[in-house]
Amino acid sequence: MRIPIKDVTPSIEHAKIFGWVHEERDLGGLTFLLVRDRTGILQVTIPKKKVSAEVLAALKEVTRESVVEVEGVVKATEKAPNGRELVPDTLKIISKAETPLPLDVSEKVPAELDTRLDNRYLDLRKPKVNAIFLIRNSVLRAINEYLWDNKFTQVQTPKIVAAATEGGTELFPLAYFDKEAFLNQSPQLYKQMLMGAGFDRVFEIGPIFRAEEHNTVRHLNEATSIDVEMSFANEQDAMSVLENAVAYAYQYVKDHCAAELETLEIKDFKVPSVPFPKITYKEAIEISTEGGEPLAFGDDLSSAAERVIGEKMGTMYFITEWPTSTRPFYTMPFEDKPEVCRAFDMMHPRMELSSGAQRCHIYDLLVKQIKDKGLNPDAFEFYLNPFRYGMPPHAGWGLGAERLVMTMLDLQNIREGVLFPRDRHRVSP
Ligand code: ATP
Ligand code: MG
């Protein structure tokens, strides 16, 4: 029976393991093979005079990163990692790795991110890289759990669409038989239609596609969006669900991912406390201007401005009351001061993690706002119809899964948190 490497302890006498050869150390009469599976690394100790001819023949053949089967006697030793070693009765090469390797998996030779991504299947074998994806898995599980527990229904909306969500230029066109179609940049319009369909609370965790030309450390051309929409709710209600979902994900990682955090050498993992502080857009541009990044009312926040404000805030926070001109047509303006709207961004000190708002549920106002943005309401007929036949007030947000993981683990490049990232220059592997 196969035993996971982490379960090989001196308390068992005999073990059969399967894994990859992480390292080979030849000390003359003694050879150490470090064998790795997804649960850990085990030292296989081979005293050449004491093992069988078959073991010696396999040892001669074996290369780093080959898949091997090892069966033998477990011994306690202070000199090996986790205080145990395996002395083999049998050593079999299941799949031999060619040499030289295109990438060093033992992390002794650092490689450029591009080389790593070109050889991602090898890169992902590194315990540190693997740990990122185990944590990402837990983050998404936690968010899922939190939203389920709070009566949100998980939905899947189409990724092939006919109209741009915001009429933007950031769309990938698609050959769709004899029609023009696009890859969806956001589930926004569909999750709003589901409010009109009586779902009350929905969420979706799925891909968004953005044909953004620029190549930055925090933009992907294919990203994962955690989207939420809720009925009979305003922007305050939406912010409350968002901060609690994020704090829940942090707490879940703290409680369930101690080993992965240790692998990543993250010592001081702090769960953000709720509620997150809120500042208005006006206050945000004042802070930025005072901090040497001058901004005027109506400007978008540059990444430099985000950093200045983030440094001052020192924690996750919200920016509220955005100029209506800076936000999409579906945003609800304040009734008494329509130049600002019920939109918010949720910020990590390093960057924006999420945008949300109370939406405009009033048909005539929505049509006007579409026109004000220079768009044609006819293109949005499928979206507008539900607003004509009973639409509840609603609010929601979109949270970038990769940015959440990137900032949580202090990754320098968003690509590190994606298995196979898509950017301006990369569509393979
Ligand atoms: P930014 O201004 O930082 O480019 P945005 O305001 O264009 O982001 P939104 O349309 O508000 O992005 O999308 C909501 C969230 O989805 C963002 O806060 C971010 O976390 C994530 N997101 C959006 N675009 C991308 C992208 N190209 N790559 C990775 N994540 C993204
Ligand atoms: Mg945004």
Side-chain angles (χ1 to χ4, degrees), residues 33-274:
L33 288 185
L34 297 187
V35 179
R36 181 192 73 240
D37 72 5
R38 74 165 190 162
T39 67
I41 291 177
L42 175 66
Q43 176 177 305
V44 174
T45 303
I46 305 169
K48 287 187 191 155
K49 291 219 172 95
K50 291 186 188 158
V51 294
S52 69
E54 285 81 11
V55 170
L56 283 181
L59 182 63
K60 219 173 146 201
E61 268 293 296
V62 82
T63 52
R64 275 170 59 208
E65 294 307 313
S66 293
V67 175
V68 292
E69 173 188 336
V70 194
E71 192 169 0
V73 181
V74 183
K75 291 190 172 154
T77 166
E78 277 172 14
K79 287 181 196 143
N82 295 321
R84 84 298 196 225
E85 64 184 356
L86 188 65
V87 181
D89 298 326
T90 60
L91 167 65
K92 285 186 204 156
I93 301 173
I94 307 281
S95 171
K96 185 173 166 178
E98 290 179 26
T99 52
L101 292 164
L103 192 76
D104 174 34
V105 175
S106 68
E107 295 182 282
K108 289 201 172 128
V109 188
E112 296 290 331
L113 186 57
D114 257 327
T115 314
R116 291 177 45 202
L117 294 176
D118 285 343
N119 301 284
R120 195 57 155 160
Y121 65 97
L122 278 175
D123 189 52
L124 290 165
R125 290 185 194 173
K126 297 175 185 167
K128 272 199 170 126
V129 179
N130 189 256
I132 294 171
F133 292 95
L134 295 181
I135 292 177
R136 180 184 160 124
N137 175 50
S138 287
V139 166
L140 291 179
R141 176 180 171 154
I143 300 254
N144 218 294
E145 202 170 277
Y146 180 82
L147 293 171
W148 269 52
D149 288 351
N150 283 279
K151 305 280 180 283
F152 285 83
T153 302
Q154 185 167 21
V155 297
Q156 290 80 33
T157 64
K159 302 307 153 204
I160 301 176
V161 296
T165 304
E166 295 170 26
T169 51
E170 296 168 350
L171 284 170
F172 286 111
L174 196 73
Y176 193 73
F177 306 110
D178 52 354
K179 285 199 178 64
E180 187 180 42
F182 303 95
L183 289 174
N184 207 0
Q185 63 188 152
S186 155
Q188 182 63 32
L189 304 185
Y190 289 92
K191 59 182 185 166
Q192 286 193 260
M193 288 197 283
L194 293 176
M195 297 300 98
F199 275 67
D200 204 286
R201 294 181 148 209
V202 298
F203 77 102
E204 174 166 12
I205 299 177
I208 55 170
F209 304 92
R210 303 207 173 176
E212 291 166 311
E213 294 263 357
H214 53 268
N215 226 357
T216 79
V217 295
R218 57 200 189 124
H219 287 95
L220 297 158
N221 293 113
E222 177 177 354
T224 307
S225 182
I226 303 160
D227 262 275
V228 153
E229 205 65 30
M230 49 204 278
S231 288
F232 307 104
N234 62 20
E235 75 285 5
Q236 300 293 336
D237 304 318
M239 281 188 271
S240 169
V241 170
L242 176 54
E243 65 195 356
N244 282 298
V246 167
Y248 187 90
Y250 267 81
Q251 187 65 51
Y252 190 94
V253 168
K254 193 180 167 84
D255 293 345
H256 295 86
C257 303
E260 289 79 12
L261 290 172
E262 199 184 313
T263 301
L264 288 167
E265 294 171 48
I266 297 174
K267 300 219 164 58
D268 214 8
F269 188 80
K270 282 205 187 68
V271 178
S273 45
V274 288

Side-chain angles (χ1 to χ4, degrees), residues 327 345 352 354-355:
R327 305 300 281 212
D345 275 4
E352 175 192 322
S354 171
S355 285

